[in-house]
Amino acid sequence: MPFDSDETSVFSLRRWTDIDHIRKTYWRACSTDVARRCFRLDAPQAQGLPIRIATSAVTRLYTVVQLTARKGEMSLIRTLWRCTFSPRLFKIYEVTWIGLVDKSYEAKNLERWGDQIVISFAAIWSISLYAVPVIAMFAMYQRSYSLIDNVSCLSKVAAGAGALLIASLAARGYSRINNPAYVKFVDTLNEAHLNYNASTKQELHKYDFEFWAWPVDFNVTGDIADKLTLEKIAKASGRLKRQSGKEFIFAIPCKLLSYVVAHTFANKLIYPGSISLIGWAFGSALVKGRSDLIKQGGERFKLMTSDKNHLDVMFVDRRTKSSNGDTLVITCEGNCGFYETGIISTPLTKGYSVLGWNHPGFASSTGAPYPDQEENAIDCIMRFAIERLKFPEKQIIIYGWSIGGYTATWAAMNYPSIQSLVLDATFDDVLPLAIKAMPPSLEGLVHNIIRDYFNLHIAEQLNRYNGTILLIRRTDDEIICIPQNNLAGNRGNMLLTKLLLRRYPYLFLSETFESGAILSRFLSAETSERTSILESFRVNEKHCLQLIAADIQSNDGVISYPSTLGKECDAKTKLQLVLFLATMYMKDQSSSHCIPLSVDLFHPGWDPASTIAVK
């Protein structure tokens, strides 16, 4: 029926059921709190309500519905954006009645295609630093094309590549937003970034994904200015030679060339594990290794060093599960080693708690493995173990393999109260190995690069640590021998020799200097011949232990180095002590460089303090 404009003659709604019907209908249509506040009509208020007012209320509700729809559209856009630029998801973990089970994330076809394109672009970008100069030189010699033609061609290529990249990102985002498993992961990741606590971290641990999106768990503030470094040692000893003005000017070309090579090729040659292509090639193996560690109770952490690098860290806690669990083993991998597939398995098998980490620039860790970044990284690891994981320094064993001996000895030098230091297949100094690997004509350049940018002098750092040490030598080592596959040229021999020279100088002081020659002969011999040498010099273990114990007791039971052991001994006794100490400090494994260490050979090492108990 028609309605009069006059409010007094307007038909009034007097039936509560009519208003109730309107209210319930729009209440269901718009479930937001805003809508409910906009349409709070009670039965008494409905009595005598003009239809025009009711219509106005309905109009307001319709507006709220539109706003809510727009809000939903904005939420959809945000979710699409997050899905497009969020990390790749590898695995999803679930707790079942049989334990922790992992299943691979099943990406849809569009997402797989988009990921492949994005990864390809990332690979091209990673090698562009080396490819661009070559391409530029090639373009310069193409005289048939003008500069404008070259620029035009490159612009077209760049535009086409950009369009392909945008299309792949859009396809990946569309595919992910239609995958409930990925949407749930994105929501979990977003919640962890907004409010990172024990609960959100536990939820985040149900996923294995690209590490750059992981929230930071531990942050080191400040620098390591108070720590001891090789540079400080060299300055304090006066070994740094001051150049005259003329020498400095003549050295500028060589210095510039050394800088360029050190920051392009040398770093990748010394640490091939930092090459992105190698990380991608090992990607599936790293995911599997990480999954195996998580199933053993491993927990992943993201650490930020003092120079703002991010470290990928895995901690396996055995403190309540094994007799060795109260001792933490911190592993330091080789130049192409990753904690997911590296030396972490040996101490785990013996029941130790283990903390593994990847070098800066390796796999998911950021940065580059230059000595200063390596030092900041291991310092961050040590502080994390002591401050966050609550392991006392005296309950930490540092285990370094190959070039990992550099960070291991640096940590031992700066944290001298650790339980012990284990060095496996480690050398004394990287310089002889670098010179051996390069042409003789480049020896001068190699020397400058190593000493200025990669001064990995492991023996120098080892001799600043006075605690328990175990050295393990690979008898068939093909990497750290000069010449190759020659036991006499194994640089581990030099590492042991320098250690004994520093700790027990009196054993090498004699008129004939025979101790050094006999030690070299002993270390160069095969197993059967070494036994014959020990027998020929009548090395008696019990007698040697008694001499060592007497020397410690003469120093009020304090072990300090350099030791006075052998000061009052004759030449024959000195030889016996040298050979005995060599057998105590170094153990052999009959294998090549990269074979995993035998579980039986891994232990804290020989502690001279144990000799005091010998009767």
Side-chain angles (χ1 to χ4, degrees):
M1 61 179 292
F3 298 108
D4 197 302
S5 60
D6 187 0
E7 191 171 325
T8 58
S9 61
V10 174
F11 175 77
S12 298
L13 292 175
R14 297 189 180 277
R15 292 184 58 192
W16 159 245
T17 53
D18 294 336
I19 287 296
D20 190 46
H21 173 71
I22 295 173
R23 180 172 62 179
K24 288 181 179 179
T25 300
Y26 283 96
W27 197 292
R28 287 194 299 267
C30 191
S31 60
T32 63
D33 292 336
V34 177
R36 294 189 181 112
R37 287 196 299 270
C38 290
F39 199 60
R40 293 187 183 278
L41 297 177
D42 297 327
Q45 295 173 327
Q47 301 298 323
L49 180 68
I51 193 65
R52 187 168 55 191
I53 299 176
T55 305
S56 175
V58 172
T59 304
R60 290 171 62 192
L61 268 179
Y62 178 72
T63 303
V64 171
V65 171
Q66 286 184 315
L67 291 174
T68 305
R70 291 174 185 172
K71 185 182 292 185
E73 291 176 1
M74 293 300 295
S75 177
L76 179 64
I77 293 173
R78 282 196 297 269
T79 304
L80 178 61
W81 180 269
R82 288 173 186 161
C83 288
T84 301
F85 296 100
S86 289
R88 285 189 298 152
L89 180 59
F90 304 125
K91 284 184 178 293
I92 302 174
Y93 296 97
E94 294 180 354
V95 178
T96 65
W97 65 274
I98 60 173
L100 188 65
V101 176
D102 67 297
K103 61 178 182 179
S104 298
Y105 166 68
E106 297 181 1
K108 297 182 179 180
N109 291 332
L110 273 179
E111 182 180 351
R112 283 198 295 268
W113 175 81
D115 276 337
Q116 290 174 357
I117 298 298
V118 173
I119 292 172
S120 300
F121 271 91
I124 294 172
W125 178 260
S126 68
I127 63 175
S128 61
L129 177 64
Y130 312 101
V132 167
V134 177
I135 295 174
M137 292 177 62
F138 177 78
M140 289 175 61
Y141 283 98
Q142 295 297 313
R143 298 183 179 180
S144 58
Y145 296 95
S146 65
L147 178 61
I148 297 177
D149 292 335
N150 288 331
V151 172
S152 176
C153 180
L154 289 175
S155 300
K156 292 178 181 178
V157 171
L164 179 60
L165 179 60
I166 293 173
S168 63
L169 289 172
R172 184 173 73 172
Y174 174 79
S175 180
R176 285 176 173 178
I177 202 172
N178 286 284
N179 191 328
Y182 193 88
V183 173
K184 183 180 179 181
F185 158 68
V186 168
D187 291 339
T188 303
L189 179 62
N190 185 55
E191 181 64 25
H193 277 284
L194 293 175
N195 185 22
Y196 196 47
N197 52 40
S199 176
T200 55
K201 182 176 181 178
Q202 185 178 6
E203 291 298 314
L204 197 61
H205 269 284
K206 295 179 180 179
Y207 302 95
D208 189 350
F209 54 95
E210 287 181 311
F211 197 61
W212 59 263
W214 193 281
V216 174
D217 294 286
F218 182 79
N219 187 4
V220 171
T221 57
D223 53 24
I224 58 172
D226 59 329
K227 302 297 183 180
L228 190 60
T229 64
L230 290 177
E231 184 178 0
K232 292 180 181 178
I233 294 172
K235 288 181 179 179
S237 63
R239 292 200 301 264
L240 292 180
K241 180 183 177 182
R242 294 181 61 88
Q243 290 181 321
S244 64
K246 185 177 180 180
E247 290 175 334
F248 177 78
I249 292 174
F250 279 113
I252 288 178
C254 185
K255 293 289 185 183
L256 289 175
L257 181 59
S258 299
Y259 177 86
V260 172
V261 174
H263 289 82
T264 52
F265 303 103
N267 188 26
K268 307 300 181 183
L269 291 174
I270 297 175
Y271 287 94
S274 63
I275 300 175
S276 300
L277 294 177
I278 290 182
W280 289 327
F282 290 167
S284 58
L286 298 183
V287 171
K288 183 181 183 304
R290 194 161 53 242
S291 175
D292 292 340
L293 291 172
I294 290 175
K295 290 178 182 178
Q296 296 182 58
E299 185 176 0
R300 200 178 187 189
F301 292 90
K302 185 175 187 176
L303 277 54
M304 181 182 288
T305 65
S306 59
D307 52 0
K308 306 306 178 185
N309 284 335
H310 292 154
L311 300 180
D312 185 2
V313 175
M314 181 67 70
F315 171 55
V316 183
D317 194 351
R318 296 284 179 82
R319 276 178 282 200
T320 60
K321 303 174 183 178
S322 170
S323 58
N324 289 330
D326 288 337
T327 300
L328 176 68
V329 176
I330 297 178
T331 59
C332 300
E333 298 287 347
N335 65 349
C336 199
F338 306 88
Y339 76 74
E340 293 92 338
T341 58
I343 61 177
I344 195 172
S345 60
T346 299
L348 273 180
T349 305
K350 294 205 75 170
Y352 288 98
S353 295
V354 181
L355 183 62
W357 58 285
N358 283 331
H359 293 281
F362 279 48
S364 299
S365 295
T366 62
Y370 292 101
D372 58 335
Q373 296 187 38
E374 288 278 282
E375 293 162 6
N376 288 327
I378 189 61
D379 183 62
C380 178
I381 294 293
M382 290 297 297
R383 292 178 62 176
F384 174 71
I386 296 169
E387 298 172 15
R388 173 66 69 84
L389 302 181
K390 304 301 181 183
F391 279 92
E393 198 172 316
K394 62 182 179 180
Q395 291 178 209
I396 295 177
I397 297 175
I398 301 179
Y399 172 29
W401 173 64
S402 190
I403 207 170
Y406 177 76
T407 49
T409 52
W410 189 93
M413 176 175 66
N414 285 283
Y415 294 87
S417 299
I418 60 171
Q419 181 176 331
S420 75
L421 173 65
V422 179
L423 298 178
D424 177 20
T426 303
F427 49 87
D428 61 321
D429 186 7
V430 76
L431 180 59
L433 298 172
I435 291 176
K436 179 201 74 169
M438 301 302 291
S441 58
L442 298 178
E443 181 174 339
L445 179 63
V446 171
H447 185 278
N448 287 336
I449 292 172
I450 293 299
R451 286 294 177 247
D452 290 345
Y453 300 101
F454 299 98
N455 189 26
L456 308 182
H457 205 309
I458 294 175
E460 187 82 30
Q461 295 183 154
L462 181 64
N463 283 338
R464 263 65 185 180
Y465 169 65
N466 292 331
T468 304
I469 295 173
L470 173 63
L471 304 180
I472 299 169
R473 181 180 63 166
R474 308 301 183 94
T475 57
D476 300 320
D477 202 311
E478 74 283 12
I479 303 297
I480 63 169
C481 292
I482 304 175
Q484 193 171 357
N485 295 321
N486 188 323
L487 187 60
N490 190 304
R491 298 304 299 188
N493 299 345
M494 293 303 300
L495 184 62
L496 174 63
T497 301
K498 292 176 180 179
L499 174 67
L500 295 179
L501 279 168
R502 187 259 171 179
R503 290 196 168 191
Y504 308 100
Y506 286 103
L507 297 181
F508 295 88
L509 294 178
S510 64
E511 296 180 358
T512 60
F513 300 100
E514 193 175 6
S515 296
I518 296 299
L519 176 62
S520 178
R521 175 187 161 195
F522 177 76
L523 295 176
S524 304
E526 299 295 334
T527 304
S528 58
E529 188 179 351
R530 287 200 297 272
T531 303
S532 300
I533 293 174
L534 292 174
E535 292 176 352
S536 64
F537 285 96
R538 298 181 180 179
V539 177
N540 184 284
E541 179 179 346
K542 186 174 181 179
H543 178 59
C544 291
L545 291 175
Q546 289 173 343
L547 291 175
I548 295 170
D551 179 72
I552 295 174
Q553 289 172 340
S554 67
N555 196 31
D556 297 327
V558 178
I559 300 176
S560 62
Y561 300 106
S563 170
T564 58
L565 179 65
K567 186 176 182 179
E568 306 297 334
C569 296
D570 56 29
K572 181 180 178 181
T573 304
K574 289 181 180 181
L575 284 173
Q576 292 172 343
L577 285 169
V578 166
L579 294 176
F580 172 75
L581 289 170
T583 62
M584 299 304 289
Y585 276 103
M586 177 178 279
K587 304 297 180 182
D588 282 344
Q589 174 169 300
S590 299
S591 71
S592 58
H593 188 78
C594 296
I595 300 299
L597 179 65
S598 172
V599 175
D600 295 335
L601 285 176
F602 185 85
H603 57 84
W606 174 67
D607 184 3
S610 62
T611 60
I612 298 177
V614 177
K615 302 297 183 182

